[in-house]
Amino acid sequence: MKTKFSEMRTIKELLNNPVVGSHVAVQGWVRTRRDSGSLSFVEISDGSCLANLQVVAEESLANYDEDVKSLTTGCAVKVVGELVASPAKGQAVELKADQLQVIGLADADSYPLQKKRHSLEFLRTISHLRSRTNALGAVTRVRSTLNFGIHQFFQENGFFQVQTPVITTSDCEGAGEMFTVTALEPDQLKKDGAFADDFFHKRAGLTVSGQLQAEIFALSHSRVYTFGPTFRAENSNTSRHLAEFWMLEPEMAFCDLQCNMQLAEAMIKDLVGRVLEECAPDLDLFNKFISKGLLNRLETIKNKPFVHLSYTDAVKELEKADKQFEFPVKWGIDLQAEHERYLCEEVAGVPVIVTNYPKTIKPFYMRLDDGEETVAAMDILVPGIGELVGGSQREERYDLLKARMEEAGLDLEEYGWYLDLRRYGTVPHSGFGLGFERLVQLITGMQNIRDVIPFPRTPGNAPC
């Protein structure tokens, strides 16, 4: 049920259901103003959709000379008037102003956004204003649609959302790239055993994954998911990495690797379909200006089944490729982005699910396959991105999990709670992690991950 909390109408509402002759009130920011004789044509946007609303202001308005003629790009206004049929091409209606109130001025000499295309590199320097542009505004709407779609998909399929901790004492990946959370002063940290005197009486950090905690609730509620910010203190300044990013991590009890892959593929197809339906104008913008052929690629992802390859078969495909890779290929290596993209772009032409990776390149919690050389892991590789999803069936057998943890050098006492899950009612279970920003990249065609998150956090960069 929609709640009416304002007399204001959004531009999206007006343009999706225009009622000529109706009196309406809208608020927004000026994109452009041009004068023609006794009229001013003011384009305004409120961010609700890609399209602007043209306001026609006549010189008979009481504040025409004082306010209307002074409007510049970036000014905030409120307009009350009549919705009328528009004689101009490209718009069905326009708003004939009865009142135009200037709410907030923008200094034309210093306002950095004008009626021209700005480079994405420049826009990253003004993260507090870049969401007002067409491209970044469209990213925001797509991101919101995907966020809502994720919750809809999992709620419709019997999953419960679990909020896993942002501050954790468990390192899921064992990568040692966690941000430390401490209440100690720098000089106190220099002492041996300093963390025993810290807030949690042990070393704590910002989470790199909520998976381990999600497993707790999967083994009591069967189907759960966690979706929130994760952090990695990796000193990388590439177009693929962020220090703060969002992760979606579903976890299911009584579910093997096959079940896990089916869920991930169904979810991706569902989300792509939602955006194609709900964000068509935004996707048209991306298809035209950001990534040619984007719409065709998304339709392919939505409509064609994903290709399945074992890691061993994937390596064989790469070894016989008529291409020189920067990173040489042999069995046992961790596939690089160039390998992943080649498999889905050149070999399959659709997303590829690679399974059964060598255990030596995967974390301790993944279930050992028969033969104990590989694990029941799966990665979903997509065009333009490479790895989008990484998941596995979890090792539910106590003795094998304990041995893997010892091999990884983990403190068994510290992770005793995780082993307990295998001592008390253990069952086969599986899950995956999806990097939300990579999903937004896939659907928008944006090449740099910093352009699909509102406030990118990278080495040396946290402006607001």
Side-chain angles (χ1 to χ4, degrees), residues 272 276 294-304:
V272 169
L276 282 168
L294 174 67
L295 292 175
N296 289 335
R297 293 197 297 274
L298 294 179
E299 289 288 350
T300 296
I301 292 171
K302 175 189 171 188
N303 296 316
K304 291 189 176 181

Side-chain angles (χ1 to χ4, degrees), residues 142-152 154-155 160-166 207 209-211 214 224-230 245-251 267 271 432-440 453:
V142 167
R143 189 178 170 104
S144 177
T145 298
L146 285 170
N147 177 76
F148 185 66
I150 282 170
H151 293 293
Q152 279 191 309
F154 284 106
Q155 294 294 323
F160 298 98
Q161 185 184 13
V162 175
Q163 286 80 27
T164 53
V166 171
T207 183
S209 169
Q211 176 210 310
V224 301
Y225 71 103
T226 182
F227 183 33
T230 51
F245 50 96
W246 281 63
M247 284 286 288
L248 167 68
E249 297 175 289
E251 198 74 28
M267 181 202 69
L271 294 173
F432 61 82
L434 175 146
F436 187 56
E437 281 70 36
R438 289 193 179 185
L439 177 64
V440 181
I453 190 168

Side-chain angles (χ1 to χ4, degrees), residues 126-129 454-457 461-464:
I126 51 169
S127 59
H128 59 298
L129 295 173
F455 303 101
R457 299 304 192 226
N461 182 60
C464 58

Side-chain angles (χ1 to χ4, degrees), residues 218-220 253-254 396 419-429:
L219 295 174
S220 63
F254 310 103
E396 85 280 12
L419 285 167
D420 274 355
L421 298 176
R422 276 68 177 174
R423 296 173 61 205
Y424 308 127
T426 187
V427 300
H429 59 289

